[in-house]
C-alpha cells in the first residue's frame, strides 16, 4: 500500500490552510483519498495543485468551516459528496474537470439544497452540466491569454 501525505500550513491551530503538495519525497501527489479530511472543522482554506487528478468521495465532506477552495487546472474527478456540507457558497471549476460525483458540492437536508451555490465554469464543460443539473447558479467564464506575457487571465 502506497502512503499518502498532505501538508498543513497556518499559525493558528484552530484555523488551517490546507495546501496539498504536488510531490513528497520525489513522488507525485495525484489523489486525495476517500474520507481523508471528512468532518474536519479546522479547515478553512484549501489549495489543490495541478498534479492532483482525483478528489475521492467524502474527502472534505462536512468540513463546516471550509470557505474557500482553489482547484488548479489538471483536476479530472471530484467524487460523490467530496465537498458537500461545507461553508462554500461558490467554486470555480477548471476545464480539465470531467467527472463530478453526486452532491459533490453544496449543502443538503433531506436531499434538498439548503443554501445558494454558484459555480463559475468555462462554457460547454462538465461543470456547466453539473451546475444546471443540480440547480446551482452558473456563471460562465472565459479565459484570454495575453500574447506578450503568455499569462492566461480568467
Amino acid at each position: 500500500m502506497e502512503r499518502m501525505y498532505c501538508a498543513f500550513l497556518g499559525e493558528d491551530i484552530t484555523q488551517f490552510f490546507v495546501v496539498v503538495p504536488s510531490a513528497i519525497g520525489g513522488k507525485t501527489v495525484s489523489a486525495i483519498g476517500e474520507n481523508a479530511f471528512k468532518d474536519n472543522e479546522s479547515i478553512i482554506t484549501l489549495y489543490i495543485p495541478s498534479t492532483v487528478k482525483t478528489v475521492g468521495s467524502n474527502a472534505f465532506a462536512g468540513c463546516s468551516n471550509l470557505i474557500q477552495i482553489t482547484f488548479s487546472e489538471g483536476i479530472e474527478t471530484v467524487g460523490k459528496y467530496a465537498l458537500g456540507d461545507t461553508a462554500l457558497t461558490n467554486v470555480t471549476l477548471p476545464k480539465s474537470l470531467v467527472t463530478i460525483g453526486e452532491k459533490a458540492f453544496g449543502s443538503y437536508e433531506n436531499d434538498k439544497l439548503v443554501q445558494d451555490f454558484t459555480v463559475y465554469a468555462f462554457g460547454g464543460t462538465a461543470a456547466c452540466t453539473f451546475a444546471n443539473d443540480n440547480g446551482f447558479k452558473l456563471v460562465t467564464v472565459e479565459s484570454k491569454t495575453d500574447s506578450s506575457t503568455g499569462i492566461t487571465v480568467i
Side-chain angles (χ1 to χ4, degrees), residues 102-116:
E102 175 186 359
K103 298 178 184 170
F105 301 96
S107 292
Y108 298 85
E109 190 172 295
N110 297 322
D111 286 333
K112 183 176 170 127
L113 188 65
V114 294
Q115 73 182 44
D116 290 334

Side-chain angles (χ1 to χ4, degrees), residues 6 10 65 78 119 122 126 130 145:
C6 187
N65 291 310
V78 175
V119 173
F122 294 91
F130 176 80
T145 302

Side-chain angles (χ1 to χ4, degrees), residues 1-151:
M1 175 180 248
E2 194 170 325
R3 291 185 182 186
M4 293 177 155
Y5 301 89
C6 187
F8 290 91
L9 302 177
E11 293 294 320
D12 184 340
I13 197 162
T14 64
Q15 295 183 336
F16 279 109
F17 301 93
V18 176
V19 177
V20 178
S22 57
I24 297 175
K27 297 213 180 225
T28 300
V29 176
S30 61
I32 299 170
E34 292 183 7
N35 302 306
F37 297 92
K38 185 177 181 187
D39 297 324
N40 184 322
E41 296 178 357
S42 297
I43 300 172
I44 59 170
T45 302
L46 174 62
Y47 171 78
I48 299 176
S50 61
T51 59
V52 173
K53 304 300 180 203
T54 302
V55 175
S57 296
N58 294 301
F60 297 94
C63 292
S64 59
N65 291 310
L66 178 61
I67 60 171
Q68 181 181 357
I69 184 169
T70 302
F71 286 106
S72 296
E73 187 68 38
I75 186 77
E76 296 172 357
T77 302
V78 175
K80 292 189 328 184
Y81 313 107
L83 289 128
D85 294 324
T86 66
L88 292 169
T89 58
N90 65 74
V91 65
T92 300
L93 299 174
K95 293 178 188 177
S96 60
L97 185 59
V98 294
T99 304
I100 306 170
E102 175 186 359
K103 298 178 184 170
F105 301 96
S107 292
Y108 298 85
E109 190 172 295
N110 297 322
D111 286 333
K112 183 176 170 127
L113 188 65
V114 294
Q115 73 182 44
D116 290 334
F117 197 86
T118 303
V119 173
Y120 295 88
F122 294 91
T125 61
C128 290
T129 302
F130 176 80
N132 288 327
D133 289 352
N134 287 278
F136 297 152
K137 179 179 177 185
L138 173 64
V139 177
T140 304
V141 297
E142 294 182 26
S143 64
K144 180 179 178 184
T145 302
D146 184 314
S147 60
S148 63
T149 63
I151 296 174

